[in-house]
Structures are given as structure tokens and as C-alpha cells.
Amino acid sequence: MFKNTISNLGRIRQVMEVLVRYGFEDVVTSTALRRLVPQGRRVSWQHAEKTVFDTNRWERIRLIIEELGPTFIKLAQALSNRPDLLPEALIDEFEKLQSDVPPFPVVMARRLIEEELGRPISEVFSEFDDVTLGSASIGQVHKARLLTGEEVVVKVQRPGVQEKVRTDLSLLRELVRLTAGFLRKQGLSNPQDIVDAFERSMTKELDYTSEARSMDQFRKLYADYETFYVPKPYREFSTSKILIIEFVSGCKISNKPQLLEWGLDPAKVAETGMDIYLTQIFEFGVFHADPHPGNVLVRPDGTIVLIDFGMVGKLTKQQKYAFAGVFIGMARQDARSMALNFRRLALHADIPDMRRFEADLNDLIEDFTVLDVKEMSMSDLADRLQVIIYDYKLQVPGAVFLILRALVILEGIGKVLHPSFNTFEFVRPYGARIIAEQYSPENLMSEAQYTGVQLLSLLSTLPTDVRQIMRKISRGDLRVKVELGGYQPLLRKADQLVSRTIIALLAVAFLLFSGLSLMGRYSSEMAYHRGIPMLTWFSLGVTGFLLLVLVIMGLKKEQRERD
């Protein structure tokens, strides 16, 4: 850990200078980062003029991200799809970030291609265009032609980008470690988990073979579709740093004049595109996560083509059912069903007040059911759902936000091509299809088999687990780990436990006294009832009263936990 801090010291100080320049000296002065600021520079940092205060805090965060470079921009762009983690104002700023950068020299691109292929370019391509088709922070794209005659596009990774990303990821982990307490006070409860998830995403994006596998998967899923096409990846020529893909010509799906010139019905194109996307979500559970107009092409014959599979989302079967259930519950105006499906969808859902949660969902339903079809907007619905998720701190799968974002993008495209385009009309029939699938005999049988296997596994391991626990108890090796989540609740529980313990001890004491009192010898003045001294009866009465108090306290505790 100390070694990482030393190796990143220069870059960390650069980050701190940027933070202070944009008026975030509290992030430095309130965290362990202040120890890395030389004593002689602290005064000047704290009293420097900061014209950036003319902008708001969220804008300054965006300016910091832009200045720190591509890795941080990528992180911010990924977080812009997670409204459960960040406030809406910050997400709006992150959505303004652009990661486009100038292309690197074609000489370097050619050299990298030859190094990866292990042979000269002339032995693979008959033509190679030195002018880039596009450029981004990870790599750039060139058009080429294979020796066999096929036109292709070549994605080439920027030289040294993997090392730079690894350095910045190490830096991010170190920054999170140094500022974890501050970030938690700002409402970001799991910063390390966010960095870990981003690291997995970036590692996957830096490996072009992952994108090639996604393209092959989509080609298999849609092999029988005549209206949808996925370009072929040439995996025999591709590596983790270069990707060769079939070149497909066409116009952007939003280019309505070109569609009309080809004799295509724009409304029909929009309907086909939405049907293809909803099929990805609700049938296959794997979907293209970035369907902006530049990634959705249309051929002259009306075939829709998806390109750039660097971002692909996935839903498990249960997540798919729960996500569909949210929309089905809304269509049926059933807030309770929506709430239950939200809880099924969430990875962690600690909702303190389910009645209030259902009431907020009911307000959402009422607001949208009174609207005319033309007035309904997927963008408005997505915003409202994201606010509810953020307010209740529901940790739902990241794929859910990718879907909502994609539906908003597709609705925008659809309204350009189709005057009366309405996303809800397309989603509705898929809801009925999902219900039929969920309760089909095949699915119910599959669920029963899974439950049976889990039960058998539990029964087979239970004797061994119990035996191990008993051995530890007999040897005195059993240890219980307790994590304090807050002192006040713990003190209240301790106070209740002490009270019940005292009452229980008093009950035991009076019960023992009752037994001993039967053995005593008393004067003739002692009253007896049914041959038992009244002193014994009194002790038994006190014991019964104390036991009754314990029972009432236990019932009240159960009632509080249910509430």
C-alpha cells in the first residue's frame, strides 16, 4: 500500500493541484491527502484566487474530470449511467463529457498492426487507408481491404494506453483509500466497489477479443433475422489490441431524407429497430448498450445494422422477469406489484418504509396514466424511476440504467422518424410475453429442479456443518464476529438485554427460593394453603409475574421488528 502511494506521488500531487484550482481544497484539507502537500505551499493553496467559483460545484467537478484525462473521463461517463449513486445535477454535467481525442500518427498504427499480426501489413491488406474514420481515447479506426477482397475496418488501440489506464486505475484506488471518509460523508457509501466495477469494465474494453466474442454471440442469436445484421469479426486477424471487422455501408438511422430517397418507410424502420432492441432485452437478456444514431445503420434494403459492440449489457433470467414486472405493474396501475419487483430487481434493498415506497410509486403511476399517449415520454419516466432509485438507495444492476438510457435514445430516434412513436406501445406486448414465459411449465419445472438441487445440497452439508460447530463449541473455539453499525442502536439493544437478563435472574432466584421455602420450619403463626406455606405461594406468584413481564417484552420486540 505504501509502495503504491510513493509510486503515484507525482500524479497524486497533480490531481490535488487540479482539485484546489477548481475550489475543492476541502477534499484535500479534510482528508489524508493534506499530508502530501508540502508545508510551504499550504498557505498559497488555501488563499489563492479562484475564479472558478463563478460556476457551481457540479460544473467544477466536470472541469476537473476533463483536465485529469481519458481514464477519469471514462469513469465519469460510466457513472453518468448510474443515477442510483450520484445526484441528478452531477449526472447532467457528466453527460456533457466527450472522450474524442485527435488521432495518433498512422505510422504508429501501422507499426502496432504489424507487431500484433507478426507480419507486414502488405501480407494481410491489399489497401489500407491512412485517414482515420474515427478516433477516441482507447483507439482509432481505419478502413482497409483484405487480400481476399473483403472491405474491413481496423480498430487499433493507442500505443501505451493499457499501461496508462493501469497507472490511473492504481491512482484511483489510492485516491479512494485516502478520501474514503470524505466521500462517505458526501453520500457515496461504496466508492471502492465503484472503482472495482469500473476496473473490470475498462479491462474488458481494453481487450478487443471481448468485443469480437460479443459480435459472434449476436450473430448466432440473430442468424435467422432478415431485418437485422451484425458485421462479421475476422478473429483470425484480431488480437487484444487490434480488431478487424467487416465493413458495412449504410446511413444513420436518423437520416430521414436518405431513407425516403431509398424508398423506405421511416416509420417502419423505427418500429423494426425498436422491436429488435426489445427482443434483445426481453428474449435474449443480452443487448447492445449504446444505440446512438452513429452506431445504428440502415442499408438500402431496410436492413438494420448495429456496429461498435464495446458496450454490451446483460440481464439474468430473474432480473429480466423483475425488470419486466416493474413495467407490467405500472401498466396495471399496481404500485404494490411494482414495489415487489423493484425489491426482486435490487441487489440490495433496505427500504425502511415500504408504505411510503409504494405511495411514491403510486404517485408515479397516477401521473403517467392520466397522460395521453402522445404526451407520454420514456425520458420523463426514466428520470422519475431514477429519482426513486436514488432516493431509496436501491442497488439495482447497472444493466437497468443502460436499458433506460438506451430506450430514451431510441425514443428520440423514433420520434424523428415516426410522428406518433410511443415506446410504451412497443413494450406492452413484451410484458404479456414475459408473463407467459415466466409461468410456463418448462420454466416452473426448471425453478423446481433448481430449488430441489439447493435443498438436497443443504441437507447433504447440514450434518457436517452442525458437527463442525459442535466440535468448536466443545473445544471452546467458536468465535462470533460482531460489526457495529452504529452505537445508539447497540446501546438500546444492550439496555434491553440487561433489563431482560435482570428480570430473568430475579425470576430464577424467586423460583429457587420457592423450592427452598418448602423445606423450612415455621412457627404456628405461618399461614398454609393446601399444605404449602403462604411464603412459598408468594414466591411463586412473584416468579410468575416476572415471567409474564419477560413474555410481554419479547412480544413487543417482535412487533417492533415487524414494524
Side-chain angles (χ1 to χ4, degrees):
M1 187 176 293
F2 179 75
K3 181 180 178 181
N4 288 338
T5 303
I6 295 299
S7 63
N8 292 320
L9 187 58
R11 179 65 167 153
I12 289 176
R13 284 182 173 172
Q14 180 186 353
V15 170
M16 289 191 294
E17 288 182 7
V18 175
L19 288 171
V20 173
R21 191 184 311 150
Y22 287 96
F24 286 88
E25 65 278 319
D26 58 330
V27 178
V28 177
T29 59
S30 303
T31 68
L33 288 173
R34 66 182 179 274
R35 297 197 299 267
L36 304 179
V37 182
Q39 187 70 36
R41 301 192 61 183
R42 292 184 184 181
V43 176
S44 62
W45 277 32
Q46 292 173 1
H47 293 86
E49 294 183 4
K50 302 177 184 67
T51 57
V52 290
F53 280 118
D54 293 337
T55 61
N56 62 45
R57 188 177 184 86
W58 311 124
E59 290 177 289
R60 299 202 306 275
I61 292 176
R62 173 175 58 80
L63 293 172
I64 289 171
I65 295 294
E66 287 178 345
E67 190 159 336
L68 290 177
T71 306
F72 291 85
I73 290 175
K74 283 280 187 182
L75 174 61
Q77 288 174 332
L79 289 174
S80 70
N81 297 316
R82 297 303 305 270
D84 59 327
L85 301 175
L86 302 180
E88 185 178 357
L90 183 55
I91 286 175
D92 290 341
E93 289 298 323
F94 280 176
E95 287 176 345
K96 299 175 184 177
L97 291 169
Q98 300 294 325
S99 59
D100 290 342
V101 292
F104 57 91
V106 69
V107 175
M108 297 175 68
R110 284 175 170 269
R111 185 185 308 129
L112 181 63
I113 293 171
E114 292 181 343
E115 288 175 357
E116 289 295 306
L117 295 177
R119 47 185 155 167
I121 280 184
S122 58
E123 292 184 11
V124 181
F125 306 106
S126 60
E127 299 175 16
F128 187 89
D129 193 346
D130 288 344
V131 178
T132 59
L133 293 177
S135 176
S137 58
I138 298 297
Q140 61 192 37
V141 180
H142 294 265
K143 188 177 178 182
R145 184 185 297 274
L146 295 174
L147 291 177
T148 50
E150 298 97 330
E151 284 189 301
V152 296
V153 292
V154 184
K155 291 182 70 171
V156 189
Q157 204 168 94
R158 287 183 176 273
V161 69
Q162 293 193 11
E163 291 73 18
K164 179 173 176 54
V165 169
R166 277 196 291 268
T167 299
D168 281 348
L169 287 172
S170 175
L171 170 65
L172 274 172
R173 287 193 296 272
E174 194 69 15
L175 287 173
V176 165
R177 186 182 69 81
L178 293 170
T179 62
F182 178 84
L183 293 172
R184 290 190 184 95
K185 289 179 182 179
Q186 304 305 311
L188 201 59
S189 59
N190 56 342
Q192 188 58 57
D193 292 343
I194 294 171
V195 174
D196 291 342
F198 175 64
E199 182 174 3
R200 289 192 297 271
S201 174
M202 284 298 296
T203 302
K204 192 173 182 180
E205 189 171 349
L206 286 169
D207 184 3
Y208 283 165
T209 58
S210 176
E211 182 176 349
R213 286 194 297 270
S214 295
M215 297 180 73
D216 278 339
Q217 182 181 15
F218 273 81
R219 284 175 63 83
K220 290 177 182 177
L221 292 175
Y222 288 93
D224 298 329
Y225 278 66
E226 296 180 354
T227 57
F228 179 48
Y229 186 74
V230 176
K232 172 187 174 182
Y234 290 85
R235 297 182 68 173
E236 65 271 25
F237 297 124
S238 301
T239 69
S240 63
K241 295 184 178 181
I242 63 170
L243 177 59
I244 316 297
I245 308 169
E246 172 189 3
F247 175 78
V248 178
S249 61
C251 71
K252 290 184 179 180
I253 191 172
S254 56
N255 190 345
K256 189 174 181 179
Q258 183 63 67
L259 297 178
L260 291 171
E261 185 179 329
W262 285 341
L264 300 175
D265 181 1
K268 180 65 175 175
V269 171
E271 292 172 3
T272 302
M274 180 58 78
D275 182 65
I276 289 170
Y277 193 80
L278 294 178
T279 300
Q280 294 176 25
I281 299 170
F282 294 114
E283 284 194 24
F284 301 128
V286 54
F287 57 93
H288 186 288
D290 193 19
H292 66 76
N295 285 340
V296 187
L297 306 180
V298 182
R299 285 173 161 177
D301 62 357
T303 303
I304 291 178
V305 181
L306 280 179
I307 61 174
D308 192 354
F309 285 78
M311 189 185 297
V312 173
K314 294 182 180 180
L315 290 174
T316 66
K317 184 186 292 185
Q318 297 307 319
Q319 290 169 351
K320 182 176 71 172
Y321 292 152
F323 182 71
V326 171
F327 283 89
I328 294 168
M330 182 175 174
R332 292 178 173 175
Q333 301 184 34
D334 186 349
R336 174 162 293 184
S337 175
M338 283 189 74
L340 291 174
N341 279 292
F342 257 124
R343 294 192 67 171
R344 288 173 58 200
L345 184 62
L347 304 174
H348 300 286
D350 185 14
I351 302 173
D353 190 345
M354 279 297 294
R355 292 182 180 179
R356 181 185 168 195
F357 183 51
E358 289 180 19
D360 286 346
L361 291 174
N362 192 62
D363 290 342
L364 171 69
I365 291 171
E366 289 179 353
D367 288 345
F368 277 86
T369 52
V370 299
L371 294 176
D372 183 77
V373 173
K374 294 180 180 179
E375 297 176 322
M376 297 179 77
S377 166
M378 189 65 214
S379 177
D380 294 338
L381 176 62
D383 288 343
R384 289 286 297 275
L385 287 175
Q386 290 170 357
V387 167
I388 289 174
I389 291 170
Y390 179 77
D391 288 344
Y392 285 91
K393 305 300 179 187
L394 300 176
Q395 295 185 31
V396 301
V400 170
F401 300 108
L402 294 176
I403 292 172
L404 293 176
R405 173 178 170 270
L407 289 175
V408 171
I409 293 172
L410 291 169
E411 184 179 65
I413 295 171
K415 288 185 176 180
V416 171
L417 304 177
H418 195 319
S420 57
F421 186 88
N422 183 260
T423 305
F424 300 98
E425 293 300 316
F426 290 97
V427 174
R428 188 174 289 116
Y430 280 91
R433 210 178 298 175
I434 282 289
I435 290 179
E437 177 188 336
Q438 186 175 0
Y439 296 104
S440 66
E442 295 83 2
N443 192 62
L444 292 176
M445 180 62 71
S446 175
E447 290 294 321
Q449 289 175 345
Y450 175 78
T451 303
V453 170
Q454 294 294 100
L455 182 59
L456 288 173
S457 176
L458 174 64
L459 292 175
S460 65
T461 59
L462 186 61
T464 303
D465 293 341
V466 171
R467 193 179 298 113
Q468 289 177 351
I469 292 172
M470 295 303 295
R471 285 175 180 171
K472 288 184 177 182
I473 292 175
S474 65
R475 293 196 303 262
D477 291 339
L478 187 66
R479 293 178 175 84
V480 179
K481 183 179 178 181
V482 178
E483 294 185 3
L484 301 181
Y487 291 106
Q488 292 303 321
L490 179 64
L491 289 174
R492 284 196 297 269
K493 287 183 179 294
D495 184 63
Q496 294 167 3
L497 180 61
V498 170
S499 299
R500 288 198 295 270
T501 302
I502 291 172
I503 294 172
L505 290 174
L506 286 173
V508 171
F510 274 100
L511 183 62
L512 291 173
F513 181 80
S514 300
L516 293 172
S517 66
L518 293 173
M519 302 170 61
R521 294 182 180 183
Y522 305 101
S523 65
S524 58
E525 296 178 358
M526 171 61 71
Y528 285 76
H529 178 67
R530 296 187 178 183
I532 298 175
M534 290 303 297
L535 182 61
T536 303
W537 285 112
F538 173 78
S539 298
L540 289 173
V542 173
T543 301
F545 172 77
L546 292 174
L547 291 174
L548 180 61
V549 170
L550 283 175
V551 171
I552 293 173
M553 292 176 71
L555 292 174
K556 286 185 176 180
K557 177 177 178 293
E558 292 179 2
Q559 181 64 42
R560 284 196 300 270
E561 290 176 349
R562 283 198 297 269
D563 292 341

Coordinates of all heavy atoms in Angstrom, one line a residue, residues 86-131:
L86 N -25.3 8.8 -7.9 CA -25.0 10.2 -8.0 C -26.2 11.1 -8.1 O -27.2 10.7 -8.7 CB -24.0 10.5 -9.2 CG -22.7 9.8 -9.2 CD1 -21.9 10.2 -10.5 CD2 -21.9 10.0 -8.0
P87 N -26.2 12.3 -7.6 CA -27.3 13.2 -7.8 C -27.5 13.6 -9.3 O -26.6 13.6 -10.1 CB -26.9 14.5 -6.9 CG -25.4 14.4 -6.8 CD -25.1 12.9 -6.8
E88 N -28.7 14.0 -9.6 CA -29.1 14.3 -11.0 C -28.3 15.4 -11.6 O -27.9 15.4 -12.7 CB -30.6 14.6 -11.1 CG -31.1 14.8 -12.5 CD -32.6 15.0 -12.5 OE1 -33.2 15.0 -11.5 OE2 -33.1 15.3 -13.6
A89 N -28.0 16.5 -10.8 CA -27.2 17.6 -11.3 C -25.8 17.2 -11.7 O -25.3 17.7 -12.7 CB -27.1 18.7 -10.2
L90 N -25.2 16.3 -11.0 CA -23.8 15.9 -11.4 C -23.9 15.0 -12.6 O -23.0 15.0 -13.5 CB -23.2 15.1 -10.2 CG -21.8 14.6 -10.4 CD1 -20.9 15.8 -10.8 CD2 -21.2 14.0 -9.1
I91 N -24.9 14.2 -12.7 CA -25.1 13.3 -13.9 C -25.2 14.2 -15.1 O -24.7 13.9 -16.2 CB -26.3 12.3 -13.7 CG1 -25.9 11.2 -12.7 CG2 -26.7 11.7 -15.0 CD1 -27.0 10.3 -12.4
D92 N -26.0 15.2 -15.0 CA -26.2 16.1 -16.2 C -24.9 16.7 -16.7 O -24.6 16.9 -17.9 CB -27.2 17.3 -15.8 CG -28.6 16.8 -15.6 OD1 -28.9 15.7 -16.1 OD2 -29.4 17.5 -14.9
E93 N -24.0 17.0 -15.7 CA -22.7 17.5 -16.1 C -21.8 16.4 -16.7 O -21.1 16.7 -17.7 CB -22.0 18.1 -14.9 CG -22.5 19.4 -14.3 CD -22.5 20.5 -15.4 OE1 -21.5 20.6 -16.1 OE2 -23.4 21.3 -15.4
F94 N -21.8 15.2 -16.2 CA -21.0 14.1 -16.7 C -21.5 13.8 -18.1 O -20.7 13.3 -18.9 CB -21.1 12.9 -15.8 CG -20.3 13.0 -14.6 CD1 -20.3 12.0 -13.6 CD2 -19.4 14.1 -14.4 CE1 -19.5 12.1 -12.5 CE2 -18.6 14.1 -13.3 CZ -18.6 13.2 -12.3
E95 N -22.8 14.0 -18.4 CA -23.2 13.6 -19.8 C -22.7 14.6 -20.8 O -22.7 14.3 -22.0 CB -24.8 13.7 -19.8 CG -25.4 12.5 -19.1 CD -26.9 12.5 -19.0 OE1 -27.4 13.7 -19.3 OE2 -27.5 11.5 -18.7
K96 N -22.1 15.7 -20.4 CA -21.5 16.7 -21.3 C -20.1 16.3 -21.7 O -19.5 16.9 -22.6 CB -21.5 18.1 -20.7 CG -22.9 18.6 -20.4 CD -22.8 20.0 -19.6 CE -24.1 20.5 -19.2 NZ -24.0 21.8 -18.4
L97 N -19.5 15.3 -21.0 CA -18.1 15.0 -21.2 C -18.0 14.3 -22.6 O -18.8 13.4 -22.9 CB -17.6 14.1 -20.1 CG -17.4 14.7 -18.8 CD1 -17.2 13.6 -17.7 CD2 -16.3 15.7 -18.8
Q98 N -16.9 14.6 -23.3 CA -16.6 14.0 -24.6 C -15.2 13.4 -24.5 O -14.3 14.1 -24.0 CB -16.7 15.0 -25.7 CG -18.0 15.6 -25.9 CD -19.1 14.6 -26.3 OE1 -18.8 13.7 -27.1 NE2 -20.3 14.8 -25.9
S99 N -15.1 12.1 -24.9 CA -13.7 11.5 -24.8 C -13.0 11.5 -26.2 O -12.0 10.9 -26.3 CB -13.9 10.1 -24.3 OG -14.8 9.3 -25.2
D100 N -13.6 12.2 -27.2 CA -12.9 12.2 -28.5 C -11.6 13.0 -28.4 O -11.5 14.0 -27.8 CB -13.8 12.9 -29.6 CG -15.0 12.1 -29.9 OD1 -15.0 10.9 -29.6 OD2 -16.0 12.6 -30.4
V101 N -10.6 12.4 -29.0 CA -9.2 13.0 -28.9 C -8.6 12.9 -30.3 O -9.1 12.1 -31.2 CB -8.3 12.3 -27.9 CG1 -8.8 12.5 -26.5 CG2 -8.2 10.8 -28.2
P102 N -7.6 13.7 -30.7 CA -7.0 13.7 -32.0 C -6.4 12.3 -32.3 O -5.9 11.6 -31.3 CB -6.0 14.8 -32.0 CG -6.4 15.7 -30.9 CD -7.1 14.8 -29.8
P103 N -6.4 11.8 -33.5 CA -5.8 10.5 -33.8 C -4.3 10.6 -33.6 O -3.6 11.6 -33.7 CB -6.2 10.3 -35.3 CG -6.4 11.7 -35.8 CD -6.9 12.5 -34.7
F104 N -3.7 9.4 -33.3 CA -2.3 9.3 -33.2 C -1.7 9.0 -34.6 O -2.5 8.6 -35.5 CB -1.9 8.2 -32.2 CG -2.4 6.9 -32.5 CD1 -1.7 6.0 -33.2 CD2 -3.6 6.5 -31.9 CE1 -2.1 4.7 -33.4 CE2 -4.1 5.2 -32.1 CZ -3.4 4.3 -32.9
P105 N -0.4 9.2 -34.9 CA 0.1 9.1 -36.2 C -0.1 7.7 -36.8 O 0.0 6.7 -36.1 CB 1.6 9.4 -36.0 CG 1.7 10.2 -34.7 CD 0.6 9.7 -33.9
V106 N -0.4 7.7 -38.1 CA -0.7 6.4 -38.8 C 0.5 5.5 -38.8 O 0.4 4.3 -38.9 CB -1.2 6.7 -40.2 CG1 -0.1 7.3 -41.1 CG2 -1.8 5.5 -40.8
V107 N 1.7 6.1 -38.7 CA 3.0 5.3 -38.7 C 2.9 4.4 -37.5 O 3.3 3.2 -37.5 CB 4.2 6.2 -38.7 CG1 5.5 5.4 -38.5 CG2 4.3 7.1 -40.0
M108 N 2.5 5.0 -36.3 CA 2.4 4.2 -35.1 C 1.3 3.1 -35.2 O 1.5 2.0 -34.7 CB 2.1 5.1 -33.9 CG 3.2 6.1 -33.7 SD 2.8 7.3 -32.4 CE 2.8 6.2 -30.9
A109 N 0.2 3.4 -35.9 CA -0.8 2.5 -36.1 C -0.4 1.3 -36.9 O -0.6 0.1 -36.6 CB -2.0 3.1 -36.7
R110 N 0.3 1.6 -38.0 CA 0.9 0.6 -38.9 C 1.9 -0.3 -38.2 O 1.8 -1.6 -38.3 CB 1.5 1.2 -40.1 CG 0.6 1.7 -41.2 CD 1.3 2.4 -42.3 NE 0.4 2.8 -43.4 CZ 0.2 2.0 -44.5 NH1 0.8 0.8 -44.5 NH2 -0.6 2.3 -45.4
R111 N 2.7 0.3 -37.4 CA 3.7 -0.5 -36.6 C 3.1 -1.4 -35.6 O 3.5 -2.6 -35.5 CB 4.7 0.5 -35.9 CG 5.8 -0.2 -35.2 CD 6.7 0.7 -34.4 NE 7.1 1.9 -35.2 CZ 7.0 3.1 -34.8 NH1 6.4 3.4 -33.6 NH2 7.4 4.1 -35.6
L112 N 2.0 -0.9 -34.9 CA 1.3 -1.8 -33.9 C 0.6 -2.9 -34.6 O 0.7 -4.1 -34.1 CB 0.3 -0.9 -33.2 CG -0.5 -1.7 -32.1 CD1 0.5 -2.2 -31.0 CD2 -1.5 -0.8 -31.5
I113 N 0.0 -2.7 -35.8 CA -0.7 -3.8 -36.5 C 0.3 -4.8 -36.9 O 0.0 -6.1 -36.7 CB -1.4 -3.2 -37.8 CG1 -2.6 -2.3 -37.3 CG2 -1.9 -4.3 -38.6 CD1 -3.2 -1.5 -38.5
E114 N 1.5 -4.4 -37.4 CA 2.5 -5.4 -37.8 C 3.0 -6.2 -36.6 O 3.3 -7.4 -36.7 CB 3.6 -4.7 -38.6 CG 3.1 -4.2 -39.9 CD 4.2 -3.5 -40.7 OE1 5.3 -3.1 -40.1 OE2 4.1 -3.3 -41.9
E115 N 3.2 -5.5 -35.5 CA 3.7 -6.2 -34.3 C 2.7 -7.2 -33.8 O 3.0 -8.4 -33.4 CB 4.0 -5.2 -33.2 CG 5.2 -4.3 -33.4 CD 5.4 -3.3 -32.4 OE1 4.5 -3.2 -31.5 OE2 6.4 -2.5 -32.4
E116 N 1.4 -6.9 -33.9 CA 0.4 -7.8 -33.4 C 0.2 -9.0 -34.3 O -0.1 -10.1 -33.9 CB -1.0 -7.0 -33.2 CG -1.0 -6.1 -32.0 CD -0.8 -6.8 -30.7 OE1 -1.6 -7.7 -30.4 OE2 0.1 -6.4 -29.9
L117 N 0.2 -8.7 -35.6 CA 0.0 -9.8 -36.6 C 1.3 -10.6 -36.9 O 1.2 -11.7 -37.4 CB -0.5 -9.2 -37.9 CG -1.9 -8.5 -37.9 CD1 -2.2 -7.9 -39.3 CD2 -3.0 -9.5 -37.5
G118 N 2.4 -10.0 -36.5 CA 3.7 -10.7 -36.8 C 4.1 -10.8 -38.2 O 4.9 -11.7 -38.6
R119 N 3.6 -9.9 -39.0 CA 4.0 -9.9 -40.4 C 3.7 -8.5 -41.0 O 2.9 -7.7 -40.4 CB 3.2 -10.9 -41.2 CG 1.7 -11.0 -40.9 CD 1.0 -12.1 -41.6 NE -0.2 -12.5 -41.0 CZ -1.1 -13.3 -41.5 NH1 -0.9 -13.8 -42.7 NH2 -2.2 -13.7 -40.8
P120 N 4.2 -8.1 -42.2 CA 3.9 -6.8 -42.8 C 2.5 -6.6 -43.1 O 1.7 -7.6 -43.4 CB 4.8 -6.8 -44.0 CG 5.8 -7.9 -43.8 CD 5.2 -8.9 -43.0
I121 N 2.0 -5.4 -43.1 CA 0.6 -5.1 -43.5 C 0.3 -5.6 -44.9 O -0.8 -6.0 -45.2 CB 0.4 -3.6 -43.4 CG1 0.2 -3.2 -41.9 CG2 -0.8 -3.1 -44.2 CD1 -0.2 -1.7 -41.6
S122 N 1.3 -5.5 -45.8 CA 1.0 -5.9 -47.2 C 0.7 -7.4 -47.3 O 0.1 -7.8 -48.3 CB 2.2 -5.6 -48.0 OG 3.4 -6.2 -47.5
E123 N 1.0 -8.2 -46.3 CA 0.7 -9.6 -46.4 C -0.7 -9.9 -45.9 O -1.2 -11.0 -45.9 CB 1.7 -10.4 -45.6 CG 3.1 -10.4 -46.1 CD 4.1 -11.3 -45.4 OE1 3.6 -12.0 -44.5 OE2 5.3 -11.2 -45.6
V124 N -1.4 -8.9 -45.4 CA -2.8 -9.0 -44.9 C -3.8 -8.2 -45.7 O -4.9 -8.6 -46.0 CB -2.9 -8.7 -43.4 CG1 -4.3 -8.9 -42.9 CG2 -1.9 -9.5 -42.6
F125 N -3.4 -6.9 -46.0 CA -4.3 -6.0 -46.6 C -3.7 -5.6 -48.0 O -2.5 -5.3 -48.2 CB -4.4 -4.7 -45.8 CG -4.9 -5.0 -44.4 CD1 -4.0 -4.8 -43.3 CD2 -6.2 -5.3 -44.1 CE1 -4.4 -5.0 -42.0 CE2 -6.6 -5.6 -42.8 CZ -5.7 -5.4 -41.8
S126 N -4.6 -5.6 -49.0 CA -4.2 -5.0 -50.3 C -4.3 -3.5 -50.3 O -3.7 -2.8 -51.1 CB -5.1 -5.6 -51.4 OG -6.5 -5.3 -51.1
E127 N -5.2 -3.0 -49.4 CA -5.3 -1.5 -49.3 C -5.5 -1.2 -47.8 O -6.1 -1.9 -47.0 CB -6.6 -1.0 -50.0 CG -6.6 -1.3 -51.5 CD -7.9 -0.8 -52.1 OE1 -8.7 -0.1 -51.5 OE2 -8.2 -1.3 -53.3
F128 N -4.9 0.0 -47.4 CA -5.0 0.5 -46.0 C -5.1 2.0 -46.1 O -4.1 2.6 -46.5 CB -3.8 0.0 -45.2 CG -4.0 0.3 -43.7 CD1 -4.6 -0.6 -42.8 CD2 -3.5 1.5 -43.2 CE1 -4.8 -0.3 -41.5 CE2 -3.6 1.8 -41.8 CZ -4.3 0.9 -41.0
D129 N -6.2 2.5 -45.6 CA -6.4 4.0 -45.7 C -5.7 4.6 -44.5 O -6.0 4.3 -43.3 CB -7.9 4.3 -45.7 CG -8.2 5.7 -46.1 OD1 -7.3 6.5 -46.0 OD2 -9.4 6.0 -46.3
D130 N -4.8 5.6 -44.8 CA -4.1 6.3 -43.7 C -5.0 7.3 -43.0 O -4.7 7.7 -41.9 CB -2.9 7.0 -44.2 CG -1.8 6.0 -44.6 OD1 -1.9 4.8 -44.2 OD2 -0.9 6.3 -45.4
V131 N -6.1 7.7 -43.6 CA -7.0 8.7 -42.9 C -8.0 7.9 -42.0 O -8.6 6.9 -42.4 CB -7.8 9.4 -44.0 CG1 -8.8 10.4 -43.3 CG2 -6.9 10.2 -44.9

